[in-house]
Amino acid sequence: MYNDEKNLYHYTYRKDGAEPTLGETLHAAGGQSGPRGPEWEEKPVKKNRLGLKITALALSCALLGGAAGGGAVWAATRAVQSESEINVSSRPVTQVALRSVDGKTQLSDAEIYAANVNSVVSIRTSATAGYNFLGQPVQTASAGSGFVMSKDGYILTNYHVVKGAETVTVTMYNGDEYNATYIGGEEDYDIAVIKVEAQELQSVTLGDSSTLNVGDHVLAIGNPLGELTFSMSGGMVSCVDRAINVDGTPFNMIQTDASINPGNSGGPLFNQYGEVVGIVSAKYSQSSNGTTVEGLGFAIPMNDVFSMVKDIMTNGYVSNRAYLGVTPQTMNESWAAQYHYDVTAGVFITYVEPDSAADKAGLKMGDVITKVDGTEIKTVEDLNLAKKKYSAGDTATLEIYRPDGAVTVEITWGAAPKEEQTQQQEPVQQKPNNWSDGYSGGNGNVDPFDMFRYFFG
């Protein structure tokens, strides 16, 4: 018989093979009654009772300690949970009032956005940049912004946004898309007017850019990066009447620290009343070496171009752009030494067009223009910038240096010849230097990898 009790093992046998009696079993287990045990038995192994007691005591203490510790942790957690309460606001969502722009009431940023976002448009253009090795046209695409000037679909943007475009697509805030027609533009002022066939569009309200002060709050809405459509950024006016020079063309700009990025070009700049006071030009938010800079944005003052915009909408070109009628040259020390002049800065007149504004005012070859209405003129760029403030028919006072003495001349600005005015009626498509105008049998500048890309993508 095999017995297992308290890890003690007893093996009891009888000679006749029968099961042992109860008394024999008890005697084998250490009992006092019954017959003697079997012929052979294995004595029980005595255990270290003291070690077992100590172990049991340790386990009991551990269990009790764990229970007590767990209770303490539970109590502490309950205390922390009761103290760490999260406050959730029950304030309802603020409803932005749709306010009208009246030029008298200052609006919040959200109200300005709500009042004008339907007047802002996203512009996408495409053009043929050239032809690949197989004579196939290569298309390019670009993006910009603009804003609605009139209910019948006239839209104002930058000239460089649509320059060279073969197709112009306009997208409204509600998702409506239109194919736009180029009406006209003025590259020297970087403005262009396009038109879509639509009626009852929401137009912007134009403001007086001359009322801006440094520190005024301004907002820009546009299409940054060509992807983040109808985004608004804000900042302050950093400078008014900032003269900058881009590729030899002078511009009078509003400087702002509002975030301006590629794709914002042509979009509106709003004052605190929700009026458009400038046309954003991201093209000029770069350093002189072409590196994009931070915290510098520029916009064309609305007052500088308003009359030209109306002229373009009416005639398709700027018919009243101020025109002097001279061939100018920037004066320098070498010219002064050659002609024995006492001035080394100004605009040297090398030719006067017959019957022009300059001719009628008595200007002649060899004169040096030094001031226009008190504004100092040192270079041709200075003269062009000063001329932008006038329209045909306006008058101005010029200070002229002549070898026999300085003179003051009163002039009435003329209008540029029609052929010069209309040369910008269609934007001139620009092709990169590494493209030929078509397949030329291997002549011209052609990308050698075009065939590889054609076959292998």
Side-chain angles (χ1 to χ4, degrees), residues 297-334:
F298 295 96
I300 302 166
M302 203 65 224
N303 287 19
D304 288 2
V305 298
F306 178 59
S307 61
M308 286 182 285
V309 171
K310 291 194 300 180
D311 207 4
I312 294 172
M313 292 171 62
T314 303
N315 302 307
Y317 62 94
V318 180
S319 63
N320 63 344
R321 183 155 55 98
Y323 189 74
L324 186 58
V326 300
T327 302
Q329 173 70 42
T330 297
M331 190 68 178
N332 53 43
E333 293 182 359
S334 62

Side-chain angles (χ1 to χ4, degrees), residues 106 109 112 208-220 233-240 254-258 269-273 275 277:
Q106 288 193 13
D109 292 356
I112 292 174
D208 185 356
S209 58
S210 67
T211 62
L212 285 177
N213 296 305
V214 173
D216 283 354
H217 186 61
V218 289
L219 299 168
S233 60
M236 71 170 67
V237 175
S238 304
C239 182
V240 294
I254 301 167
Q255 181 184 329
T256 175
D257 64 353
L269 185 74
F270 296 98
N271 62 13
Q272 294 167 290
Y273 297 88
E275 302 167 325
V277 290

Side-chain angles (χ1 to χ4, degrees), residues 330-334 336-337 341-346 368 378:
T330 297
M331 190 68 178
N332 53 43
E333 293 182 359
S334 62
Y341 281 12
D342 294 331
V343 294
T344 58
V368 179
K378 294 183 177 181

Side-chain angles (χ1 to χ4, degrees), residues 28-166:
Q32 300 299 322
S33 61
R36 298 288 297 176
E39 294 279 331
W40 175 90
E41 74 176 45
E42 181 179 74
K43 299 294 184 180
V45 179
K46 294 183 179 181
K47 299 292 184 178
N48 187 343
R49 298 294 181 180
L50 180 60
L52 291 174
K53 291 179 179 180
I54 293 174
T55 302
L57 180 60
L59 290 173
S60 299
C61 291
L63 291 174
L64 291 174
V73 171
W74 177 81
T77 303
R78 291 276 296 181
V80 171
Q81 289 178 346
S82 64
E83 295 176 1
S84 301
E85 296 181 356
I86 300 175
N87 295 323
V88 179
S89 173
S90 59
R91 180 182 61 83
V93 177
T94 302
Q95 299 297 323
V96 179
L98 186 58
R99 308 280 293 274
S100 60
V101 178
D102 58 11
K104 302 176 182 179
T105 307
Q106 288 193 13
L107 307 178
S108 69
D109 292 356
E111 290 171 341
I112 292 174
Y113 184 84
N116 289 285
V117 68
N118 288 309
S119 304
V120 181
V121 302
S122 169
I123 298 175
R124 301 193 314 274
T125 67
S126 65
T128 301
Y131 298 84
N132 63 16
F133 188 78
L134 299 178
Q136 298 171 322
V138 177
Q139 297 293 318
T140 61
S142 61
S145 305
F147 52 95
V148 179
M149 292 287 293
S150 65
K151 293 181 179 181
D152 57 346
Y154 283 97
I155 294 170
L156 182 60
T157 186
N158 283 143
Y159 185 88
H160 76 262
V161 170
V162 295
K163 181 178 182 178
E166 295 175 353

